[in-house]
Amino acid sequence: MEGDKRRTKEDTWKSEELRKHLRTSEADSKNEDQKHREKKLQKEKSVYDTDTHKHERKDRGKSKERTKERERFKSSERDRDKMRERERRKEHQREEDRVRYKDKLHESSLEKERYSISKGRESNREQDKKHKRHEIKQIDTQDNLKSFEGRDKEHHRRRESRHHLEEEKKRSKERERRHTEKKDNDTKKSIDKFLAYKIEEVERVHKFQKDQELDKERERRHRENKEHSIRPGKERLSKERSHKHYEKDEEEKHKSKRSREGSSHRDREGQLADVYERVKSRENERTRRDLRNSEHKEEDKIQEQMSPQHVSRTVRDKGQLIEKEERDTRQEEMKNTRIYNSDTGFDDFSANYEDDFEDYEDDFEDDDKSGKERDAEENLSEIPFSRTSEIEEIRRAISAENDRICTSLPKKIENETKEPVMERQYPSVRNSYGGIFMDFQLANQRQSGRSMASKQKKRSSELLPLIDLDFSVSFSLLDLPPVNEYDMYIRNFGKMNTKQAYVQCNEDNLERDTQTEEVETLEKWTQHPGKSAIVSGGPTTNQDISVNGTPTPKIDSQRLTNFLRSACRVIAVLLEEDQVATEPRWQQRSRQTSLSISDSCFQLNTNQPFLHDRKVSCLHFSQVQRQTLLSVHGLPEKASVGLLNRKSIICVWNIWQPSSPQKVLICDSEVICCCFSPNKTTLVFAGTTDGSLLVWDLREDSRMRLQMMINGIDWTFRVPTFSTDGILLSVNHTSPILAVEPVSTSLYTDKNYGLLSLSYQEEMSGPPFQIASMDENGTLNMWVVIELRKVDLAGSQTDLGLVPGGKVKLVHSSTMELSNSLFPKDVHQRMPQTLTIKFLSSDPNHFIVGTNIGLVGHGTRNGLKVLPKLFRPQESRLRSISISAIDFFPFGKPLFLVGCSDGSIRLYQMTSEYPLMQWNDSTNGQPIIALQWALTRPAVFFVLDASSNIYIWDLLENDLLPVAKQTVPSENVVTMTLLGEPEKTNGLLGIVLAKESGQIDIQYVKKKWALPQPEECEKLHLVLLQSF
Amino acid sequence: RFKSSTVKECIHTILMEKLANVEYVPEEMPQLTKSLSEMIKDRLKEEGFDRYKMVVQVVIGEQRGEGVNMAARCFWDADTDSYAHDVFMNDSLFCVVAAFGCFYY
């Protein structure tokens, strides 16, 4: 049996729960009641559990019994459920019973009923078995009642009495029934125990099915439990006191509650009366119904019948709810007490247990019987109907409940308020009995939690329709786009304060060394095939010098040109000598012509085309540059070259270069005399037959001059730079100029110039000097030579005599009429003609003039009278003899030689009017053409007469006759001049002879006449003194 | 009434004072998020939304340039319930706080 029960247990529970769920889902509003019920159930269970638990603790030895009991309890519960299921089928048939039963229960208010029942039963039992215990219990209850009554006498009694009255009516019936039935039952006790459970279950099923009635039924159940527990509990005397105290407390509470509930109780009384009547009527109906049922009346009618019942029930329920609650509270209180009792007094429990069931059985046996009978009758036909009707009923009940709840909210609140009160009671109970502390608390908590949950659930159920939940729009909480690469870079490296540690490896800075020298390059040009000597060349620029770091020497171009010029001359001379050496023919011939007086001779190459057939009229050596020779060539006798036909030519020679003249000067008129400038050989002055004075500037660029190609050689013919021809008519010479003499400002400086000739040669401006020109009429003009700083290539407007591009011009300084001033009146009457003029080299202011009357005049430039005024010959008579040559003594003494046309030679001293010596007829009457002191020996002079005889006088050797006489054999010698360098003592002395044919021979005089002898001047002085 | 503007202000002030100079350290973040959420929740309770259930969610992530997209969706009564959120951004982290308030009936 037990195993079966256990097996079915789960199923039944499940089904129950299912049903609960159904109910909750269908009618949430019903929850409260249900919960109450559930709570109570759970409480009961918990009580059971706790009970059993305690039993286990207290006495394990009795565990078997208790477990049995428990199992029985459980089984009873399970059985209840099982039976419920079974009974449901029979519900319909049993409705009547149920109703009846219910009515009964309704009619009997719980307390009274219980009390009465207990009393009743106990009275029976007392009689049967347990007098003492029951008495004690009765005493307890009675004590309760007494105390109750004592405190609340009137109220309680009234009520009680009324109740008792009403109850006793019922009970009497019941008891009658029970008693009748008991007799039967007693016999069947053991067998019927199970049945009794069944009956119990039937009742409970009814409870569940009809919610309104559940509470009552539960009360009954409680009662059962109580009855189980009460009896044993009462048997415990040891705890009576505390129990009493507790009961008293409870009673006090009860009182308070009852006082509250009193009004309702009174109402109830009225109601109960009505109910009673109604129950009666219902019983009548039931009887009728039974009939109908038996007659298999239709469901509809039953339902119709039920609906009034239902209505009535609902009406009742309202009242009952309150009652229920009261009862619940009371029950709970009672339970507590009795549970305790049950705990304490379990010894007799098993024994009493059966009795309890007996009682129940007694109560319901009649119903069972009738139900069973009906079952037999109606089972087959009514089973489906009963189910449907059951559901129908449930639904109705639910709807009714809902309505009620809606209307009776205040009541609920009452309930809610009451519950806490109840809960509060438990702690006190617990405190009094510490042993069971935890269990109650748990239970209470659960209860309270449930109640709260139910409340919340109800609230939520109410609110849910009002609230419409929806999925709101989704909110975007954060949208952070990924950072792109650049921003990342900037964030990492773009900040100002970030530090970036750099590492420099210098990997890309590679160096390579080469050990080869850099190649030097030069740009050159070449020519192929090489046609000339130069086949390649290129710029060898100063860059190389600058690159090499040597500063370019500052070239003094003037000095360089000077050097080159002088060097060129030297080189030219050397080349000339080489040429002479390579031309033996020319050299031989020159040697062949050597005279007796000379060691060697050579010729200037006058074999030039433009010099053919020209007669050399004049020869002149420069005072400064002894090697430079001027040769004046006169007009040719027969016209040969057309251009140069009418022109006279002056050739500038360098005697070291005899092959060709250095420069060729041309002029239109016939040149009579010429001279060099005193300080340098750059200027050549010439006097012409038509009275004009010409100046050539040898420094002039040859390109400005007339150039002519003659026999393949370029010749430059220079025209005069300045000519006085045609200008300065008032002062100019009107007769042929016979003599041109340079007048140095200082003869002393002249020597210095001579020494420094090279350095000063090209100086633009030397010391100023004058040119004196004298014509046949005795007019002496003094000219100042001016070098122009500025060259005017276009020619000058003012200086008409200046050639374009010329730099030198002559300015007339003074004019002197020598014939009038120099000569006294007696001489002047003879119309003396001036022929030659010489200036004293030591004192340029003094000059002497040779005349054609045998007299030599002495004058000064500034016109002062000087003594002797005239130098006369030894014979003091005037003869018409012309003075052909005058030469000053070159070694400083104021001596001069005068050669006359009658062949006489006179030696004058400047201070004496008459000559120191006079040699007549030395030339055999031949006129003397030229006469000149030897440049190297003071005591020697040379004389040339018209018959080409050369006489050499050595006054130291012989002061009466010439020491040597040499006749030039070949042809006539026109003029002669001496070549020599007085500064040197090498004894080189030459005689330049210009022949008629135009040849110019240079004869080197023998050494005995050339080399100076020691103290020659003193000897000469002695000789001269002796001649006085 | 759950006013999202005031709530947002609360969140903002708390975030500003708590996260101003915080670097992202992965070990510290869980503790930080919890403390932040508690702090914000307490602060919101002080604001006096008595009949609101507050839910505060704090998310802290590291800022490394990746894209982040966060969204929330609620199943609630839009008439009474609301939410507020605020974002705090740092050089090293971002913090998203969302506070949801649900009305108690």
Side-chain angles (χ1 to χ4, degrees), chain A residues 459 467 470 475 478 480 483, chain B residues 65 68 70 72 76 83 89 105:
Chain A
R459 266 187 66 83
I467 302 163
D470 56 346
F475 317 113
L478 175 65
L480 194 68
V483 182
Chain B
V68 180
M70 281 180 62
W76 63 16
Y83 88 107
M89 293 270 235
Y105 281 97

Side-chain angles (χ1 to χ4, degrees), chain A residues 793-810:
Chain A
L793 289 173
S796 173
Q797 296 290 326
T798 54
D799 296 324
L800 297 176
L802 191 65
V803 76
K807 276 185 177 180
V808 179
K809 72 172 186 178
L810 297 175

Side-chain angles (χ1 to χ4, degrees), chain A residues 809-852:
Chain A
K809 72 172 186 178
L810 297 175
V811 173
H812 183 257
S813 170
S814 61
T815 300
M816 217 182 278
E817 288 297 329
L818 295 179
S819 55
N820 298 324
S821 60
L822 278 177
F823 302 112
K825 286 181 181 171
D826 54 336
V827 180
H828 193 267
Q829 287 171 355
R830 298 193 51 175
M831 291 298 287
Q833 193 178 10
T834 57
L835 297 175
T836 181
I837 185 170
K838 288 286 178 182
F839 282 84
L840 184 65
S841 59
S842 58
D843 187 3
N845 291 325
H846 294 264
F847 57 90
I848 52 176
V849 180
T851 62
N852 57 352

Side-chain angles (χ1 to χ4, degrees), chain A residues 719-916:
Chain A
V719 295
T721 302
F722 188 81
S723 171
T724 61
D725 193 11
I727 60 165
L728 302 172
L729 293 174
S730 59
V731 294
N732 205 356
H733 298 280
T734 56
S735 55
I737 294 172
L738 295 180
V740 176
E741 281 287 306
V743 180
S744 297
T745 53
S746 160
L747 279 178
Y748 299 106
T749 59
D750 208 11
K751 288 183 179 174
N752 294 331
Y753 285 124
L755 288 171
L756 301 172
S757 61
L758 271 174
S759 61
Y760 287 98
Q761 190 176 12
E762 300 293 326
E763 290 267 331
M764 287 283 286
S765 58
F769 63 95
Q770 292 179 327
I771 293 294
S773 61
M774 186 190 69
D775 58 7
E776 292 175 341
N777 298 324
T779 304
L780 179 70
N781 278 329
M782 302 298 291
W783 308 88
V784 176
V785 178
I786 295 174
E787 292 193 28
L788 299 174
R789 301 275 171 190
K790 188 178 165 187
V791 176
D792 192 359
L793 289 173
S796 173
Q797 296 290 326
T798 54
D799 296 324
L800 297 176
L802 191 65
V803 76
K807 276 185 177 180
V808 179
K809 72 172 186 178
L810 297 175
V811 173
H812 183 257
S813 170
S814 61
T815 300
M816 217 182 278
E817 288 297 329
L818 295 179
S819 55
N820 298 324
S821 60
L822 278 177
F823 302 112
K825 286 181 181 171
D826 54 336
V827 180
H828 193 267
Q829 287 171 355
R830 298 193 51 175
M831 291 298 287
Q833 193 178 10
T834 57
L835 297 175
T836 181
I837 185 170
K838 288 286 178 182
F839 282 84
L840 184 65
S841 59
S842 58
D843 187 3
N845 291 325
H846 294 264
F847 57 90
I848 52 176
V849 180
T851 62
N852 57 352
I853 55 172
L855 294 176
V856 174
H858 181 203
T860 59
R861 280 196 296 167
N862 44 23
L864 294 175
K865 301 273 182 184
V866 286
L867 287 175
K869 196 173 187 176
L870 285 172
F871 297 97
R872 298 172 184 276
Q874 284 177 336
E875 60 275 30
S876 61
R877 47 182 180 100
L878 288 175
R879 291 186 293 177
S880 100
I881 46 171
S882 59
I883 306 290
S884 58
I886 297 170
D887 191 27
F888 276 100
F889 182 68
F891 295 96
K893 290 195 173 180
L895 300 171
F896 62 92
L897 285 170
V898 175
C900 303
S901 56
D902 60 347
S904 61
I905 300 167
R906 290 174 282 187
L907 178 63
Y908 285 97
Q909 196 171 10
M910 287 292 291
T911 54
S912 61
E913 189 179 349
Y914 291 94
L916 292 173

Side-chain angles (χ1 to χ4, degrees), chain A residues 496-515:
Chain A
M496 291 300 290
N497 293 328
T498 50
K499 262 190 188 172
Q500 250 173 320
Y502 289 103
V503 179
Q504 196 169 13
C505 303
N506 210 14
E507 279 178 350
D508 50 356
N509 188 9
L510 294 176
E511 280 186 19
R512 290 190 185 84
D513 283 322
T514 55
Q515 288 186 330

Side-chain angles (χ1 to χ4, degrees), chain A residues 21-206:
Chain A
H21 280 293
L22 237 173
R23 273 173 229 150
T24 51
S25 62
E26 283 183 354
D28 293 331
S29 57
K30 250 189 342 185
N31 286 342
E32 256 195 51
D33 294 297
Q34 276 181 329
K35 273 167 201 162
H36 276 297
R37 262 175 270 146
E38 288 165 7
K39 263 183 254 167
K40 278 162 197 167
L41 280 170
Q42 281 171 347
K43 253 187 230 169
E44 285 168 12
K45 284 175 204 164
S46 68
V47 166
Y48 292 148
D49 295 335
T50 52
D51 287 348
T52 55
H53 192 64
K54 281 163 201 165
H55 292 315
E56 279 175 358
R57 275 185 190 172
K58 281 176 181 175
D59 39 5
R60 284 168 196 167
K62 297 171 186 177
S63 60
K64 284 178 186 176
E65 287 184 352
R66 270 171 229 154
T67 49
K68 276 184 187 174
E69 288 168 9
R70 250 182 287 152
E71 282 172 352
R72 256 182 251 160
F73 266 111
K74 283 172 192 169
S75 62
S76 67
E77 285 179 347
R78 282 166 217 151
D79 290 345
R80 258 185 276 159
D81 298 331
K82 252 198 271 179
M83 297 313 287
R84 228 186 289 156
E85 291 286 324
R86 272 184 239 158
E87 292 294 319
R88 260 172 217 161
R89 295 170 195 168
K90 303 167 188 176
E91 271 173 0
H92 201 66
Q93 297 132 314
R94 285 179 204 162
E95 266 189 279
E96 291 172 1
D97 298 338
R98 259 185 281 153
V99 171
R100 219 194 304 158
Y101 189 47
K102 269 183 263 167
D103 292 344
K104 262 192 251 170
L105 292 169
H106 289 308
E107 285 158 14
S108 62
S109 89
L110 284 171
E111 290 172 359
K112 290 157 200 169
E113 207 175 21
R114 190 185 53 190
Y115 287 143
S116 61
I117 287 164
S118 64
K119 278 173 196 170
R121 281 174 202 162
E122 280 165 11
S123 62
N124 291 335
R125 283 161 205 163
E126 277 169 45
Q127 289 160 13
D128 294 337
K129 298 170 185 176
K130 301 146 192 174
H131 278 287
K132 285 177 188 175
R133 264 179 265 164
H134 277 287
E135 279 174 3
I136 293 163
K137 193 199 169 187
Q138 276 182 322
I139 290 162
D140 287 345
T141 51
Q142 280 164 1
D143 285 345
N144 280 342
L145 289 168
K146 280 172 193 172
S147 64
F148 194 78
E149 286 168 352
R151 284 169 201 170
D152 198 0
K153 289 171 187 173
E154 293 180 358
H155 183 72
H156 199 67
R157 273 179 202 163
R158 248 192 296 158
R159 218 174 35 169
E160 286 249 307
S161 62
R162 276 176 221 155
H163 281 286
H164 277 290
L165 285 173
E166 293 169 352
E167 285 172 44
E168 276 169 352
K169 287 174 192 172
K170 276 201 285 180
R171 271 174 217 162
S172 61
K173 288 178 192 174
E174 288 180 338
R175 267 176 222 159
E176 285 173 2
R177 264 196 293 167
R178 275 177 212 163
H179 282 295
T180 53
E181 290 168 357
K182 240 189 223 171
K183 288 163 189 175
D184 297 336
N185 288 337
D186 287 338
T187 57
K188 301 176 193 171
K189 259 180 194 173
S190 60
I191 306 160
D192 289 340
K193 267 181 191 172
F194 188 69
L195 290 172
Y197 280 115
K198 271 188 190 172
I199 292 156
E200 240 180 60
E201 291 307 317
V202 171
E203 289 170 2
R204 274 177 209 162
V205 169
H206 288 304

Side-chain angles (χ1 to χ4, degrees), chain A residues 338-391:
Chain A
R338 272 152 211 171
I339 285 160
Y340 171 75
N341 290 338
S342 69
D343 291 341
T344 53
F346 238 93
D347 299 345
D348 303 331
F349 189 82
S350 58
N352 295 333
Y353 197 68
E354 291 178 358
D355 292 348
D356 294 343
F357 285 110
E358 284 178 3
D359 294 341
Y360 278 106
E361 282 162 17
D362 292 343
D363 291 341
F364 301 119
E365 265 173 0
D366 52 349
D367 292 346
D368 281 346
K369 282 176 187 172
S370 61
K372 279 171 190 171
E373 289 167 1
R374 271 169 233 155
D375 284 349
E377 293 173 356
E378 300 174 1
N379 249 347
L380 295 169
S381 60
E382 296 277 327
I383 286 166
F385 171 67
S386 66
R387 280 181 188 169
T388 53
S389 63
E390 190 182 36
I391 293 163

